[in-house]
Amino acid sequence: MGIRLLVVEIDSLCVTQFLNRKNFNATLPLVNDILGLLSHDWQVSVHYIYREANFAADFMASHALTLPLGLHHFATPPLDVETWLRNDGLGTMFPHVVKP
């Protein structure tokens, strides 16, 4: 694909911190798969973002649960996600309450 720089944004602080650690033992197959992807010949940075900043991705993840198992290609975004994409493009902000 020619990807040299990959920025991964995750709305789980725990997962972000785990993936940014340099030394850890991975015993779960999914973790090993992720580490394998991160070790390709590219520069990867993993960043934590608030779930509220990730509405479009969150919608698509929920939408995927309604689809049959397999690979799905969308020529255009589903109608319900267009609002989130538009808000993202406009830089619309949503209030977020952070618990101490």
Side-chain angles (χ1 to χ4, degrees), residues 5-6 10 27-28 34 48 51 73 80 87-89 91 100:
L5 174 63
L6 181 65
I10 303 173
T27 56
L28 299 173
I34 293 170
Y48 170 73
R51 179 167 285 128
H73 177 268
D80 292 336
N87 285 336
D88 187 41

Side-chain angles (χ1 to χ4, degrees), residues 3-49:
I3 298 172
R4 292 284 168 230
L5 174 63
L6 181 65
V7 177
V8 179
E9 296 179 332
I10 303 173
D11 60 14
S12 169
L13 183 58
C14 180
V15 172
T16 303
Q17 291 171 337
F18 179 79
L19 292 176
N20 282 322
R21 287 176 51 194
K22 300 299 179 201
N23 298 316
F24 52 83
N25 293 323
T27 56
L28 299 173
L30 178 59
V31 174
N32 283 323
D33 291 345
I34 293 170
L35 295 175
L37 289 171
L38 294 176
S39 69
H40 280 258
D41 186 25
W42 51 25
Q43 181 181 349
V44 179
S45 60
V46 180
H47 303 277
Y48 170 73
I49 61 169

Side-chain angles (χ1 to χ4, degrees), residues 30-97:
L30 178 59
V31 174
N32 283 323
D33 291 345
I34 293 170
L35 295 175
L37 289 171
L38 294 176
S39 69
H40 280 258
D41 186 25
W42 51 25
Q43 181 181 349
V44 179
S45 60
V46 180
H47 303 277
Y48 170 73
I49 61 169
Y50 288 113
R51 179 167 285 128
E52 290 79 2
N54 206 15
F55 280 123
D58 192 52
F59 171 84
M60 291 301 291
S62 297
H63 181 62
L65 298 174
T66 68
L67 301 173
L69 186 61
L71 177 65
H72 298 275
H73 177 268
F74 296 92
T76 59
L79 291 176
D80 292 336
V81 82
E82 285 184 2
T83 300
W84 300 120
L85 293 172
R86 191 175 315 106
N87 285 336
D88 187 41
L90 294 171
T92 304
M93 298 181 67
F94 298 92
H96 177 77
V97 176

